[in-house]
Amino acid sequence: MKTGAKVLIEGLLRQGTKTIFGYPGGVVLPIYDVLYDSPLEHILVRHEQAAAHAADGYARASGRVGVCLATSGPGACNLVTGIATAYMDSIPIVALTGQVPTSLLGNDAFQESDIHGITMPITKHNYLVSRAEDLPQVIAEAFYIASTGRPGPVLIDLPKDVSTGEVPEGIEFPTSVSLRGYQPTVKGHPRQIERAVDLMKRAQRPLLYAGGGVILSGADQELLALAERLGAPVTTTLMGLGAIRGDHPLNLGMLGMHGTAYANYAVTECDLLVAIGARFDDRVTGRIETFAPNAQVIHIDIDPAEIGKNKPVDVPIVGDVRQVLAQILARLPPRGSRTGPWLERVEHWRKTHPLVIRDDDLLHPQYVVRTLSELLDGDGVVVSEVGQNQMWTAQHFCFTKPRSWITSGGLGTMGYGLPASMGACVARPGEQVFLVAGDGSLQMNIQEFGTIAQYRIPVKVVVLNNGFLGMVRQWQELFYEHRYSYTELPQVDFVGIARAYGIDGMVVEERREVRDALRTAIAHEGPFIVDVRVEREENVFPMVPAGAAINEMIGSRQ
């Protein structure tokens, strides 16, 4: 006979799991006892939230399902922020949680929490397993649901008596999964494809608006082919960075609140907007009724619930982005030079309203990001925390390939970056992984320096240290008359903290030191931290609205 815990681990191995990020506790001890002799790599984090973020970073960097494990009660509840982060960005993770024995469910037993109910709104699906013999099917379904259709997190809640329960040695594991009511549409409807192609043929000012769905479906080559076939510029969301090379002539960079001026101008002036794996979120659109006011809209997404949710569309296409774009390309002839005047106009905006940094001797955070981008030259993975550091990286780093950019977009989770960068390192051994952090965000999960040091995870951390909760301070400066209410932070010796864990690092206080410090970090074999004391009241610009105010800006600046 086998125990449920042994069946669980065998099921994970059958799904191709290689690494689990977790933290032990009472009711998951049967699972940890099996892990002791298992070929699975287990990485002991210092907080359960970090386990979920690390599994998330692993999934984003690898394209595979990330796995995290926590005990019942507070352990499971500590996963919630990480699960919600993955849910908002459509990231496939499987979260395993311990639970009190089934006989005690509902009795307020020690460390009992209804994690099944708590996570129902932030998971794609979740399970409360009541019988050990159900585990093979549940595990197979969980991985299938997490990784197919629109990806997302799945939770499996495991009462202790399920982990210790006995099942026959010959129990069978399913080799395939078919679920009634869950059959994601992957191919676009032929009639809608034809309608989209017709609009593309007639458009004079087409614009492609690419989101994280392009990355998730692996559709970067199809996106590039469509852009070049149409002669259409491409703008991306925060989650879509890397879908097209940052230095490609058709790439306008990110759009929206902190996007480039020329991307936002293009959205306002285009006559056809093709939204690809994007969801028209508020940070992109501003006032939705004035977003892309002159355009007919084609919306391609695998999740039918997203189409028309925020923005009315003319041609909805439900399907996997990669397959739908392939269908369109098979029917779309080359456009020739028809869009030449449009591209010239866009290029004029790019030249007259570029993203710039001040050319002086001050230590600007944008300069740090651009220097890092130049030195990495398209290699490795860049992770960010959330806030100004995130926006500066999105604006000034040149991403050249998919899955080279990892950040919390939808939920905007401070403290995400450090554990996510651990997951990315584990997923992509031998590659450079840099975390760009703010001093506020870094302190939210700074205890993970212990995990990094224990496993010698070679994360390189660059702190854009301004002594503020920078993005909040920026809004206080712009809209609350510089009344900095509880946003100033005391100076912290980050290098000293890192060294206490056994991690080396250095402090940078002058612009001339930046390049050599980053070169030192790149060359260092293990983890390393560079604490860069940047200009304290530097702001993220442009803060360009994507709606009505754009029209006024075009009129005044054209």
Side-chain angles (χ1 to χ4, degrees), residues 29 88 95 197 224 331 372 377 432 435:
L29 286 178
M88 288 290 283
V197 169
L224 178 60
R331 294 165 173 77
L372 179 62
D377 193 25
Q432 291 281 352
L435 167 66

Side-chain angles (χ1 to χ4, degrees), residues 476-526:
Q476 289 174 335
E477 174 189 331
L478 296 174
F479 301 108
Y480 293 91
E481 300 177 346
H482 292 78
R483 289 163 56 86
Y484 295 161
S485 179
Y486 304 103
T487 49
E488 188 165 7
L489 299 172
Q491 192 57 257
V492 174
D493 181 6
F494 289 112
V495 173
I497 293 172
R499 283 178 176 159
Y501 282 103
I503 299 170
D504 204 0
M506 60 193 300
V507 176
V508 172
E509 297 184 302
E510 296 186 26
R511 181 184 177 114
R512 60 183 174 81
E513 301 171 339
V514 169
R515 188 174 297 272
D516 284 344
L518 294 177
R519 281 176 173 156
T520 299
I522 291 170
H524 192 78
E525 289 188 2

Side-chain angles (χ1 to χ4, degrees), residues 44-249:
L44 175 64
V45 297
R46 299 303 184 265
H47 191 287
E48 291 92 352
Q49 180 183 344
H53 290 329
D56 175 308
Y58 179 95
R60 297 192 202 219
S62 67
R64 300 187 297 272
V65 177
V67 180
C68 56
L69 170 60
T71 194
S72 63
C77 289
N78 282 342
L79 292 177
V80 167
T81 299
I83 294 171
T85 301
Y87 182 76
M88 288 290 283
D89 289 343
S90 305
I91 305 304
I93 68 172
V94 170
L96 306 170
T97 54
Q99 185 56 274
V100 301
T102 54
S103 61
L104 294 179
L105 286 172
N107 289 345
D108 293 330
F110 178 65
Q111 291 193 333
E112 178 187 2
S113 65
D114 180 14
I115 198 65
H116 178 268
I118 289 169
T119 60
M120 194 170 289
I122 56 168
T123 52
K124 194 174 174 186
H125 192 63
N126 61 16
Y127 297 87
L128 173 58
V129 185
S130 58
R131 304 186 312 160
E133 54 264 39
D134 293 335
L135 281 170
Q137 185 67 32
V138 167
I139 296 163
E141 289 182 9
F143 276 79
Y144 176 72
I145 292 170
S147 60
T148 55
R150 180 179 184 170
V154 176
L155 182 135
I156 304 175
D157 199 23
L158 299 155
K160 186 175 183 181
D161 55 320
V162 171
S163 296
T164 58
E166 294 186 339
V167 295
E169 283 286 349
I171 191 169
E172 293 187 0
F173 289 80
T175 56
S176 62
V177 175
S178 179
L179 298 172
R180 175 186 282 184
Y182 179 72
Q183 299 293 332
T185 300
V186 293
K187 290 203 170 187
H189 193 285
R191 187 175 301 171
Q192 299 299 81
I193 297 294
E194 290 298 337
R195 291 180 61 199
V197 169
D198 184 58
L199 287 183
M200 291 177 185
K201 287 178 179 178
R202 292 189 281 114
Q204 301 293 319
R205 301 185 305 278
L207 178 67
L208 306 185
Y209 155 42
V214 176
I215 306 290
L216 294 171
S217 68
D220 52 296
Q221 292 302 312
E222 288 77 9
L223 173 69
L224 178 60
L226 180 61
E228 293 178 342
R229 184 83 56 88
L230 273 178
V234 181
T235 182
T236 69
T237 66
L238 178 70
M239 303 309 301
L241 291 170
I244 181 172
R245 286 184 62 95
D247 54 4
H248 193 284

Side-chain angles (χ1 to χ4, degrees), residues 21 43-47 50-51 53-55 57-58 383 416-428 433 435 445 447-453 455 457-459:
F21 302 90
I43 292 181
L44 175 64
V45 297
R46 299 303 184 265
H47 191 287
H53 290 329
Y58 179 95
V383 185
Y416 167 83
L418 189 60
S421 64
M422 299 187 317
C425 266
V426 174
R428 306 263 286 269
V433 175
L435 167 66
N445 273 314
Q447 76 285 338
E448 296 311 312
F449 277 151
T451 308
I452 289 169
Y455 296 96
I457 301 173
V459 175

